[in-house]
Amino acid sequence: DAGVIQSPRHEVTEMGQEVTLRCKPISGHDYLFWYRQTMMRGLELLIYFNNNVPIDDSGMPEDRFSAKMPNASFSTLKIQPSEPRDSAVYFCASSLGWNRGYGYTFGSGTRLTVV
Amino acid sequence: GQQVMQIPQYQHVQEGEDFTTYCNSSTTLSNIQWYKQRPGGHPVFLIQLVKSGEVKKQKRLTFQFGEAKKNSSLHITATQTTDVGTYFCAGLPGSSYKLIFGSGTRLLVRP
């Protein structure tokens, strides 16, 4: 199993540009999560999906952020327009579910720098 | 809102010494998970505790879940340089999948 795959690994963009982060979860995992990690705020849950349906997006910072999961093998997190304060490492994670004894498997992350 | 506090923030130990990190939640948790993140890496799942008072061991690592299901600890016996990294606890309130991460404890080990 290749694990959770995220792309790109690094993204540098100018303020005001649109940024799209991509994630391929582990096959068969029915939960998908987007987290953001910064020194100041640590690991924050942005949104999570169950069977491709968004369940809780209360962590999404503002309307500039949107996430989609068009099918079980692909999800995107979009920031439009991007701002310097969006600079962070964005992780995607997937899981079979804690009630079945499984933790969350994280991807390698996308390091986003907005200049 | 829901908070998971973790102490200490940093711990610098001599190789062979023991290490403990503590985690406290503002509310009762359905379960608690522990993750390790190496510098420049991503969080890696270590273990999950579900039952009140539960204790689990993985080689030199011992994990505990408090009786009230609001606190937890990770103890490493005889640290090695391979233990270097940041250890996070993460709690799940109720039946939600909204895993709330603690601030992490960064462990440095002097060889």
Side-chain angles (χ1 to χ4, degrees):
Chain A
D1 194 334
V4 176
I5 300 172
Q6 290 187 247
S7 64
R9 287 297 306 274
H10 302 274
E11 177 81 37
V12 180
T13 191
E14 291 186 346
M15 182 174 62
Q17 296 298 306
E18 177 180 294
V19 176
T20 300
L21 311 181
R22 296 172 176 79
C23 175
K24 176 179 168 54
I26 292 173
S27 177
H29 282 196
D30 42 13
Y31 288 88
L32 183 137
F33 308 84
W34 283 100
Y35 278 85
R36 177 172 69 175
Q37 186 173 38
T38 61
M39 288 294 292
M40 290 297 294
R41 300 176 67 89
L43 274 159
E44 302 174 278
L45 177 64
L46 300 178
I47 185 171
Y48 79 90
F49 296 81
N50 177 213
N51 292 323
N52 314 337
V53 176
I55 301 301
D56 188 328
D57 65 354
S58 59
M60 295 287 262
E62 50 200 88
D63 292 345
R64 297 185 298 106
F65 285 68
S66 62
K68 293 182 180 179
M69 192 166 185
N71 57 62
S73 58
F74 185 65
S75 178
T76 60
L77 178 67
K78 186 174 293 187
I79 308 172
Q80 165 65 15
S82 57
E83 297 182 4
R85 60 187 167 133
D86 302 330
S87 297
V89 180
Y90 290 80
F91 289 106
C92 176
S94 69
S95 178
L96 277 169
W98 67 264
N99 54 345
R100 286 182 268 182
Y102 294 92
Y104 295 11
T105 302
F106 283 76
S108 298
T110 295
R111 182 175 294 277
L112 173 65
T113 303
V114 183
V115 298
Chain B
Q2 194 87 33
Q3 282 194 326
V4 177
M5 310 299 292
Q6 198 173 345
I7 57 168
Q9 189 176 3
Y10 297 97
Q11 187 85 49
H12 201 173
V13 300
Q14 186 72 40
E15 188 173 21
E17 291 182 339
D18 292 356
F19 159 78
T20 305
T21 174
Y22 301 91
C23 187
N24 281 287
S25 168
S26 56
T27 60
T28 302
L29 301 170
S30 57
N31 74 59
I32 196 150
Q33 301 178 14
W34 285 89
Y35 291 78
K36 177 183 178 181
Q37 185 176 22
R38 294 183 186 276
H42 57 276
V44 175
F45 175 70
L46 295 176
I47 206 161
Q48 174 177 265
L49 303 168
V50 179
K51 300 176 184 176
S52 170
E54 190 170 13
V55 178
K56 287 188 176 180
K57 292 190 175 184
Q58 287 180 349
K59 297 182 180 178
R60 295 177 295 104
L61 278 61
T62 303
F63 304 84
Q64 293 188 335
F65 200 10
E67 294 291 339
K69 301 184 75 173
K70 295 179 71 173
N71 62 288
S72 182
S73 65
L74 158 60
H75 180 82
I76 302 178
T77 303
T79 55
Q80 300 175 358
T81 55
T82 53
D83 296 326
V84 164
T86 300
Y87 292 85
F88 292 96
C89 63
L92 275 169
S95 59
S96 165
Y97 277 77
K98 195 171 179 178
L99 192 62
I100 309 297
F101 277 78
S103 50
T105 296
R106 185 176 176 188
L107 173 63
L108 302 171
V109 180
R110 290 189 297 269

